[in-house]
Amino acid sequence: DKGTYPYYMLKEIDEQPAVIRRIESKYISQEGNVHFDEKLLEQVSKASRIYIVGAGTSYHAGLVGKKIFEKMTGIPTEVVLASEFAYDDPLIEKDAFFIFLSQSGETADSRQVLVRVNEEWQKNSLTITNVANSTLAREAQFAVTLEAGPEIAVASTKAYVAQIALETLLAVAIGRYNQRDSALHFDVAGQLSRVANAIQTVVDEKSQIEKIAESNLTNTRNAFYIGRGLDYDVALEAALKLKEISYVQAEGFASGELKHGTIALIENGTPVLGLITQTKTADHTRSNLEEVISRGANVITITSEKLQRDGDNIILPEVDEILTPLVSVVATQLLAYYTTLQKGYNVDQPRNLAKSVTVE
Ligand code: M6R
């Protein structure tokens, strides 16, 4: 039931602080310990490589997860598109461990990979899903649930945030199991609580984002999201969200890569949304934005408090830098939502799309 909300998508965006808190109370004890099946931790902690498999938004959550896993566990992690990996000829190490990310747990592309994992490669696997008794949950060796509550809108929002929260908890649990300093010293409960509060601030200020959508995106044919590192990962998700519901031709781009060709597409007024939440790369992304400004682009910046400068457009409350995707993505979900609403399209049921994709 969407209650007083005009669309499920807005309701699901608004629920995200509660989703994070629900995940915390399910997986973290009073003492701050993270709980997963011991056997699961034992198996992943001895993996020589972790593969994260997903499609669409779940793949994008995997890209963020890779960086969190590598930081917390020290285990090399690869993220793969299910539809590609299902027919690739990868060199799989003996101790590989597979993590499937899927909101629905029914995505045929991901299932095709799981069939190979079970039959051909005979490797251990975990499904992280929103649907406890789904096909992927049943067919993997382990399963954990996202606790996001039913996601009805075709455009995935709260599942992405829940997936990254779960990846963080799992990465910390594995890192601690292996006595890694990066995980032992990471106050995951405190940091996720900060994230929940920060998301709340973003959703409380949605009317400002609505105005930015109206003056910059509603009347455009195309748009770019750019960023580096984790900001690039979010740029890909932000662009998918915008294109799938508002039909703006949006592209997520590594900001440093623009000048190697794609900058040719920048014209007078082309919206370029810059994500700037990472200290290491903030200045570089700013200079890439200067490059597009000088070609006439209409630049909109999404930055964290710490890195903000005069004239920035959307300022996000501070959270640990590795968790900024959980907050910045919410601003981009709202931009997609309001752009679509203003164009008069059905936000929850975009053309040509189904909620779960059960064909390859
Ligand atoms: O249920 P899944 O997470 O496996 O679904 C994967 C994609 O089909 C899904 O994320 C899709 O890209 C969404 N429409 C994105 O909003």
Side-chain angles (χ1 to χ4, degrees):
D1 178 22
K2 57 185 188 300
T4 56
Y5 283 94
Y7 284 105
Y8 280 105
M9 184 182 178
L10 189 61
K11 174 172 181 272
E12 290 162 3
I13 291 173
D14 275 4
E15 280 170 2
Q16 293 177 112
V19 169
I20 301 274
R21 294 196 185 100
R22 198 151 62 223
I23 290 172
E24 283 193 86
S25 60
K26 165 140 189 195
Y27 291 98
I28 308 178
S29 71
Q30 290 285 330
E31 303 75 44
N33 296 322
V34 185
H35 288 300
F36 286 101
D37 185 334
E38 273 294 303
K39 282 207 222 71
L40 166 66
L41 295 181
E42 193 190 309
Q43 286 196 9
V44 195
S45 64
K46 57 178 197 226
S48 55
R49 183 175 299 271
I50 295 170
Y51 288 92
I52 301 180
V53 186
T57 290
S58 295
Y59 169 74
H60 294 153
L63 296 175
V64 174
K66 166 195 162 75
K67 296 184 171 98
I68 301 175
F69 267 96
E70 291 189 336
K71 179 177 169 140
M72 298 297 171
T73 70
I75 302 172
T77 302
E78 208 170 307
V79 194
V80 297
L81 279 171
S83 58
E84 286 295 309
F85 204 67
Y87 299 97
D88 280 348
D89 297 309
L91 302 169
I92 309 281
E93 301 78 348
K94 191 166 134 289
D95 293 317
F97 189 94
F98 284 82
I99 298 178
F100 289 83
L101 291 179
S102 177
Q103 188 285 130
S104 63
E106 300 297 343
T107 298
D109 293 319
S110 301
R111 171 153 195 271
Q112 190 52 40
V113 179
L114 182 51
V115 168
R116 285 186 89 185
V117 166
N118 286 337
E119 288 169 14
E120 190 177 328
W121 303 322
Q122 300 173 356
K123 298 298 176 211
N124 299 321
S125 58
L126 161 73
T127 293
I128 301 179
T129 178
N130 211 18
V131 184
N133 59 355
S134 57
T135 307
L136 286 166
R138 281 184 276 110
E139 295 183 358
Q141 196 178 2
F142 299 96
V144 297
T145 52
L146 290 173
E147 306 300 322
E151 191 183 64
I152 310 290
V154 165
S156 184
T157 53
K158 61 180 179 172
Y160 174 87
V161 158
Q163 281 168 338
I164 295 174
L166 251 299
E167 288 175 304
T168 305
L169 288 171
L170 187 63
V172 167
I174 298 160
R176 289 181 183 173
Y177 192 91
N178 281 346
Q179 298 295 316
R180 297 231 344 147
D181 280 350
S182 53
L184 290 168
H185 298 150
F186 190 76
D187 170 19
V188 69
Q191 293 300 344
L192 284 177
S193 298
R194 284 188 75 166
V195 164
N197 293 338
I199 297 177
Q200 190 62 56
T201 305
V202 176
V203 300
D204 287 346
E205 290 166 7
K206 52 167 83 73
S207 62
Q208 185 219 344
I209 296 180
E210 180 176 9
K211 287 191 202 107
I212 293 175
E214 192 172 10
S215 35
N216 300 283
L217 296 174
T218 303
N219 294 310
T220 188
R221 237 182 58 75
N222 58 355
F224 290 90
Y225 271 100
I226 68 167
R228 290 177 182 237
L230 286 165
D231 289 330
Y232 172 38
D233 299 335
V234 174
L236 293 175
E237 170 58 10
L240 174 61
K241 212 88 312 174
L242 186 62
K243 67 186 131 187
E244 76 175 316
I245 58 172
S246 78
Y247 317 139
V248 171
Q249 185 172 4
E251 205 172 336
F253 228 79
S255 52
E257 191 64 14
L258 270 184
K259 60 180 174 300
H260 296 289
T262 306
I263 201 167
L265 290 172
I266 304 295
E267 294 176 344
N268 236 348
T270 306
V272 178
L273 296 105
L275 290 151
I276 309 170
T277 69
Q278 305 294 307
T279 306
K280 216 172 27 179
T281 53
D283 288 345
H284 288 100
T285 297
R286 296 239 185 231
S287 27
N288 300 135
L289 288 172
E290 286 305 324
E291 290 158 9
V292 296
I293 287 173
S294 69
R295 272 99 177 158
N298 168 25
V299 164
I300 299 113
T301 46
I302 303 174
T303 63
S304 57
E305 261 164 25
K306 186 171 75 181
L307 298 171
Q308 91 174 86
R309 290 205 196 152
D310 283 353
D312 280 340
N313 302 92
I314 299 175
I315 318 294
L316 309 166
E318 213 53 55
V319 297
D320 190 282
E321 272 196 19
I322 198 139
L323 298 181
T324 53
L326 292 167
V327 184
S328 58
V329 79
V330 179
T332 71
Q333 295 166 349
L334 287 164
L335 285 168
Y337 174 79
Y338 284 115
T339 303
T340 310
L341 196 69
Q342 286 151 12
K343 291 176 84 165
Y345 297 133
N346 184 330
V347 175
D348 288 341
Q349 305 247 284
R351 67 188 181 207
N352 309 340
L353 292 174
K355 182 62 184 162
S356 75
V357 185
T358 52
V359 290
E360 276 186 60

